[in-house]
């Protein structure tokens, strides 16, 4: 049988340990983006310009077993001519520490507007794809991805 000697700590050391532990527990809740942060970011990007109704095909899983690599694929129905094309596409998530996840830039020479990537999602959250069009308007699509841990609800 192994016996260990217990060491005593002072009241001051106990308060420092408790304060450090409570700070470590509280900080992650402040570091998560929120729906308001994403809405504010969309307002910053759009600068008050209106939304247009175009087809955005968003391919994401409804349930992601591993939040470290969630596939995001999109295709936007655009003629991709000099007068009418998609200039940029933003990927935003409301549950990560920063709402900005990805940005893709397109030109008419590309012929089509589509991309595939993977993003890390820290928890179940909404993912928004915002497209900036050449006429100054915007379009968006949104979906909710449930992130599970090892296939269990989360």
């Amino acid at each position: 049988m192994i016996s260990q000697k217990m060491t005593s700590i002072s009241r001051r050391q106990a308060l420092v340990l408790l304060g450090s532990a409570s700070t470590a527990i509280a900080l992650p809740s402040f570091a998560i983006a929120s729906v308001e942060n994403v809405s504010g970011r969309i307002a910053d990007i759009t600068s008050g310009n209106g939304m247009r109704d175009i087809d955005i095909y968003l391919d994401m899983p409804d349930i992601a077993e591993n939040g470290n690599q969630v596939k995001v694929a999109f295709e936007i129905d655009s003629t991709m001519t000099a007068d009418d094309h998609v200039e940029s596409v933003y990927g935003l998530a409301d549950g990560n520490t920063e709402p900005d996840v990805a940005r893709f830039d397109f030109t008419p020479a590309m012929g089509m507007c589509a991309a595939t990537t993977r993003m890390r999602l820290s928890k179940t959250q909404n993912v928004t794809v915002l497209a900036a069009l050449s006429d100054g308007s915007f379009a968006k699509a949104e979906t909710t991805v449930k992130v599970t841990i090892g296939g269990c609800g989360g």
Side-chain angles (χ1 to χ4, degrees), residues 60-74:
M60 290 189 69
D62 293 331
I63 299 173
E65 289 187 21
N66 183 357
N68 289 326
Q69 292 186 11
V70 179
K71 177 188 172 198
V72 180
F74 65 87

Side-chain angles (χ1 to χ4, degrees), residues 27-76:
L27 279 179
S29 64
F30 295 120
I32 301 295
S34 65
V35 175
E36 293 81 25
N37 289 355
V38 171
S39 298
R41 182 66 182 126
I42 290 172
D44 289 344
I45 294 169
T46 60
S47 301
N49 291 342
M51 294 287 174
R52 206 166 104 184
D53 189 27
I54 63 171
D55 291 331
I56 299 176
Y57 304 102
L58 189 56
D59 182 20
M60 290 189 69
D62 293 331
I63 299 173
E65 289 187 21
N66 183 357
N68 289 326
Q69 292 186 11
V70 179
K71 177 188 172 198
V72 180
F74 65 87
E75 184 175 342
I76 300 175

Side-chain angles (χ1 to χ4, degrees), residues 1-32:
M1 175 186 229
I2 300 174
S3 65
Q4 294 181 344
K5 180 181 173 189
M6 292 190 56
T7 58
S8 61
I9 60 172
S10 68
R11 226 178 310 171
R12 183 174 292 170
Q13 290 171 326
L15 288 174
V16 168
L17 288 173
L18 286 173
S20 300
S22 62
T23 302
I25 291 170
L27 279 179
S29 64
F30 295 120
I32 301 295

Side-chain angles (χ1 to χ4, degrees), residues 6-152:
M6 292 190 56
T7 58
S8 61
I9 60 172
S10 68
R11 226 178 310 171
R12 183 174 292 170
Q13 290 171 326
L15 288 174
V16 168
L17 288 173
L18 286 173
S20 300
S22 62
T23 302
I25 291 170
L27 279 179
S29 64
F30 295 120
I32 301 295
S34 65
V35 175
E36 293 81 25
N37 289 355
V38 171
S39 298
R41 182 66 182 126
I42 290 172
D44 289 344
I45 294 169
T46 60
S47 301
N49 291 342
M51 294 287 174
R52 206 166 104 184
D53 189 27
I54 63 171
D55 291 331
I56 299 176
Y57 304 102
L58 189 56
D59 182 20
M60 290 189 69
D62 293 331
I63 299 173
E65 289 187 21
N66 183 357
N68 289 326
Q69 292 186 11
V70 179
K71 177 188 172 198
V72 180
F74 65 87
E75 184 175 342
I76 300 175
D77 191 20
S78 174
T79 58
M80 295 303 280
T81 62
D83 297 331
D84 182 25
H85 64 276
V86 177
E87 291 182 343
S88 298
V89 176
Y90 299 86
L92 306 165
D94 66 9
N96 287 353
T97 55
E98 285 291 323
D100 290 5
V101 178
R103 178 181 170 173
F104 302 92
D105 293 319
F106 296 93
T107 67
M110 292 178 166
M112 66 181 294
C113 180
T116 301
T117 189
R118 295 191 181 276
M119 67 173 60
R120 183 183 187 290
L121 300 178
S122 60
K123 63 178 187 171
T124 298
Q125 58 191 288
N126 298 318
V127 176
T128 304
V129 172
L130 179 68
L133 308 172
S134 60
D135 65 357
S137 64
F138 292 85
K140 76 175 184 174
E142 186 175 71
T143 188
T144 300
V145 179
K146 182 176 181 178
V147 177
T148 62
I149 300 168
C152 300

